[in-house]
Amino acid sequence: MSESTQSPEDQKAAEDRKAAEEKKAAERSLPLPEAVRAVRLWAVTAFRAAPLLVVVQCVLSVLQAVTAPAQTYGVKLLVDGLTGRDSGTIGLGTAVILVGFAVSFVGMVVTGPIQDTTAERVAGRVYRDLLDVTVSIPSITHHEDPKVADRLELIREQAWRLGVSFEMLLFLVGIAANTVAVLGLLGSVHPVLLLLPVLGLGRVWSSYRNIRRVQDAVEEVAPRHRMIDRLIEISKDARNGLEVRVFGLRPVLVDRLARLHDEVFDIQATALRKGALLDGTVRAAFGLVYAAAIVWVLARARSGQVSAGDVVLLILVAPQVDQLAGGLAGNVYWMGEILRSFGRYDWLREYAARNSWSDSRTPAPPRLTEGITFRGVGFRYPGSEQATLHDVDLTLPAGSTVALVGENGAGKTTLVKLLARLYDPTTGSIRVDGTDLRDLDPAGWRSRISAGFQDFVKFQFTAREVVGIGDTDRMDDERAVAAAIRRGDAEAVVEKLPRGLETQLGKKFSDGVDLSGGQWQRLALARAFMRERTLVLLLDEPTAALDPEAEHVLFERFAQASRLAAAETGGVTILVSHRFSTVRMADLIVVMADGRVAEVGSHEELVALGGRYAELFQMQARAYR
C-alpha cells in the first residue's frame, strides 16, 4: 500500500516505529567523546562530594584487591621452599601470607563505615546537583518538548544509580589493581598464560551484549512505564475517585494496565532469552580453555620446566581469574547503566548550559516609563506544528491595568507565559521600555514580577512558607507575610488552621492539614501579593475557585495594588478572567481570538463597537439575569 493510500493511523504507527528505531540507533552506545566525559563526570562528582574519604577508599580498594594475588604468590614461595627448590623463600612466603591476612582483616573492619559515609555524601551531592541543574534552566521548554521530557524522565527515574555509583567506582579501581596483580602472576609462570584473562574478557563481552539488549528493551518500554505510572496515579488519587466511579472507568483502566504490562513483559523477556543463550555459550568455552591450561602446566611441571609452586600458583589463580571475569561480567550491566546515566546527566548539564540564556545580561529597569510592546509576536509550543499566537501587535502602557479576555484556547495564557519569559517568542519581539525582553537578565526580570495562576501549586510546606515563598528575600518577615495574607483575603483561612501559620499543610504528612480548593487559592493569591513593587503582576484566572462576589472584592484589592505599583514603578497588571463584571474595571481590555488580538479598548469603547467583546458581555449578562 502506498503512503498516499495509508490511513492516518497506519501513517502514525509507521512514524512511531521509525522514531523508535532512530532513537535506539542513536543511543545504542555512547560515542567515545561522550563516554569519556561521562567517566570524567563520574569521578569528579565522587571526588567533589568527599575528597579525603574518596582517596582513602581508593587506597583501601587497591590494597584489598591485590591481597589475594599477593597471598597466592606467598603460597608459591612457601611451596617452593618446602619442596627444596629454594628454602630461603619459606620465611618471605609466610610473611606475605600473614600480611595479607592483616590487610584483609583491617579492610573488613574499616571499609564498611567509610564506604557507607562516602556513598551517602556522593548520593547527596548527586541529588543536589540534579535539582540545581534542572531548576536553573530559566525556560520551561524542557518540560513540554517530548524528546527532552523523555530523557529527563529517565534521568529522574534512574537518579538513584548516580547516587550508588561510588561503590561501582571503587569496584573498578579494585578490578584494575587485581588485573595487574593477576597478570603479573600468570606472566611469571609463562607468557602464554596471559591469554587466559584476555579470553576471560569474552565473558565480559557476552554479558555486555546481553545488557545492551536489556537496556534497549528498557528504553523501548519507557513510554509504556510512564503510561502505567499515570494510570496508577489516576486510580489511587482521591481527586479522581468520583469520575472514575461515575463513568465506570475501572474496566478501561484495568484492561489498559494489563495490556501495557503484557507488552513490557514480552519485550523484556525476548531480550533476556537471547542474551542468556549467548552468555552461556561463551562461559562454557572459557571454562574448557582454562581447564586445558591447567593440564598443560601440569605436564610442564612433570618435565621439570616449572616448579611445584608454579603449579599451585596457577591452580590458586584460576578461581581468581574466573572471579575477575565473572565480577566484570556480573557488573557490566551496572557499569553500563551507570555510565549511561552519567552520560544523560552530562547531557542535562550541557543542555542547561546551552539554554541558560547567559547572553541575557541587561538588568531589568527599576521602573517602567513607556510600557511593554508586542511586535509581530508568534509562538509555537515545542513539538507542536500549529502556532498558538499569530502576529500579535499590542501595547501595554506603563501603569495600566490590562484584562485579557477570549474563549478557551485563544492564546491568553500563552501571552502571560511569554511576559514571564517562560518561553521566548518563535517570531517577533516583546520590548520592555524599548529593550527586547530576550536581552534582560531572566532572574532579574522575574524578581520584578509576581503572579497568581488558576493552576497554582499546592506547596506542602507550612502556611507561613506557602505564602512567604512569593518573595524569598522576605519570607521570614512576619509583617510582610501578614500584609500579603490580608491583601489576599486569606486571614480567615489562617485563623482556622490549628497552629496558625506554623501549620503543616498537605495530607502526605501525619500532622498535615488539607485545604479546600478555595482555601488553597487564597493562600496562592496571598503569595502573589508578597512582592509589593513589581513591574508586572500576572493574574491568570487567579480566582477561578472563588465565587463572583469574592472575586470582585479581591479584584478591588488587585486594582489597589496596581495603582500602588503604577505610582511607584509604573507597573502593569495583567488580568485573565472570564467574568466581565470584573474585567470591566480594567483600564484596557484586550480581546483574543484564535491566537490573535481581535479588539482593544476600554469596556465602554468595546461595548459601543458592537464586536466580539460586546457579544460575549451581553451573553454573560443575560446568563446572570
Side-chain angles (χ1 to χ4, degrees), residues 584 602-609 613:
R584 64 188 301 176
S602 66
H603 171 74
E604 291 76 14
E605 291 171 342
L606 293 178
V607 170
L609 184 63
Y613 177 83

CSV table of all heavy atoms in Angstrom, one decimal, residues 584 602-609 613:
chain,number,residue,atom,x,y,z
A,584,ARG,N,-14.5,44.6,33.4
A,584,ARG,CA,-14.8,46.0,33.0
A,584,ARG,C,-14.1,47.0,33.8
A,584,ARG,O,-14.1,48.2,33.5
A,584,ARG,CB,-16.3,46.1,33.1
A,584,ARG,CG,-16.9,46.0,34.5
A,584,ARG,CD,-18.4,46.0,34.5
A,584,ARG,NE,-18.9,47.2,33.9
A,584,ARG,CZ,-20.2,47.4,33.7
A,584,ARG,NH1,-21.1,46.5,34.0
A,584,ARG,NH2,-20.7,48.6,33.2
A,602,SER,N,-11.3,50.2,26.1
A,602,SER,CA,-12.0,50.2,27.4
A,602,SER,C,-13.3,49.4,27.3
A,602,SER,O,-13.8,49.1,26.2
A,602,SER,CB,-12.2,51.6,27.9
A,602,SER,OG,-13.2,52.3,27.1
A,603,HIS,N,-13.9,49.1,28.4
A,603,HIS,CA,-15.2,48.4,28.4
A,603,HIS,C,-16.2,49.2,27.6
A,603,HIS,O,-16.9,48.6,26.7
A,603,HIS,CB,-15.7,48.3,29.8
A,603,HIS,CG,-17.1,47.8,30.0
A,603,HIS,ND1,-17.4,46.5,29.7
A,603,HIS,CD2,-18.2,48.4,30.3
A,603,HIS,CE1,-18.7,46.3,29.9
A,603,HIS,NE2,-19.2,47.5,30.2
A,604,GLU,N,-16.3,50.5,27.8
A,604,GLU,CA,-17.3,51.3,27.1
A,604,GLU,C,-17.0,51.3,25.6
A,604,GLU,O,-18.0,51.2,24.8
A,604,GLU,CB,-17.3,52.8,27.7
A,604,GLU,CG,-17.8,52.9,29.1
A,604,GLU,CD,-16.8,52.4,30.2
A,604,GLU,OE1,-15.6,52.2,29.8
A,604,GLU,OE2,-17.2,52.2,31.3
A,605,GLU,N,-15.8,51.5,25.3
A,605,GLU,CA,-15.4,51.5,23.8
A,605,GLU,C,-15.8,50.2,23.1
A,605,GLU,O,-16.3,50.2,22.0
A,605,GLU,CB,-13.9,51.8,23.7
A,605,GLU,CG,-13.6,53.3,24.1
A,605,GLU,CD,-12.1,53.5,24.1
A,605,GLU,OE1,-11.3,52.5,24.2
A,605,GLU,OE2,-11.6,54.6,24.1
A,606,LEU,N,-15.5,49.1,23.8
A,606,LEU,CA,-15.7,47.8,23.2
A,606,LEU,C,-17.2,47.5,23.1
A,606,LEU,O,-17.7,46.9,22.1
A,606,LEU,CB,-15.0,46.7,23.9
A,606,LEU,CG,-13.4,46.8,23.8
A,606,LEU,CD1,-12.8,45.7,24.7
A,606,LEU,CD2,-12.9,46.7,22.4
A,607,VAL,N,-18.0,47.9,24.1
A,607,VAL,CA,-19.4,47.7,24.0
A,607,VAL,C,-20.0,48.5,22.9
A,607,VAL,O,-20.9,48.0,22.1
A,607,VAL,CB,-20.1,48.0,25.4
A,607,VAL,CG1,-21.6,48.0,25.2
A,607,VAL,CG2,-19.7,47.0,26.4
A,608,ALA,N,-19.6,49.8,22.8
A,608,ALA,CA,-20.1,50.6,21.7
A,608,ALA,C,-19.7,50.1,20.3
A,608,ALA,O,-20.4,50.3,19.4
A,608,ALA,CB,-19.5,52.0,21.9
A,609,LEU,N,-18.5,49.4,20.3
A,609,LEU,CA,-18.0,48.9,19.0
A,609,LEU,C,-19.0,47.8,18.5
A,609,LEU,O,-19.1,47.6,17.3
A,609,LEU,CB,-16.6,48.3,19.2
A,609,LEU,CG,-15.9,47.8,17.9
A,609,LEU,CD1,-15.7,48.9,16.9
A,609,LEU,CD2,-14.6,47.2,18.3
A,613,TYR,N,-16.4,41.4,21.9
A,613,TYR,CA,-16.5,41.7,23.3
A,613,TYR,C,-17.9,42.0,23.7
A,613,TYR,O,-18.4,41.5,24.7
A,613,TYR,CB,-15.6,42.8,23.7
A,613,TYR,CG,-15.7,43.2,25.1
A,613,TYR,CD1,-15.0,42.5,26.1
A,613,TYR,CD2,-16.5,44.2,25.6
A,613,TYR,CE1,-15.0,42.8,27.4
A,613,TYR,CE2,-16.6,44.6,26.9
A,613,TYR,CZ,-15.9,43.9,27.8
A,613,TYR,OH,-16.0,44.2,29.2
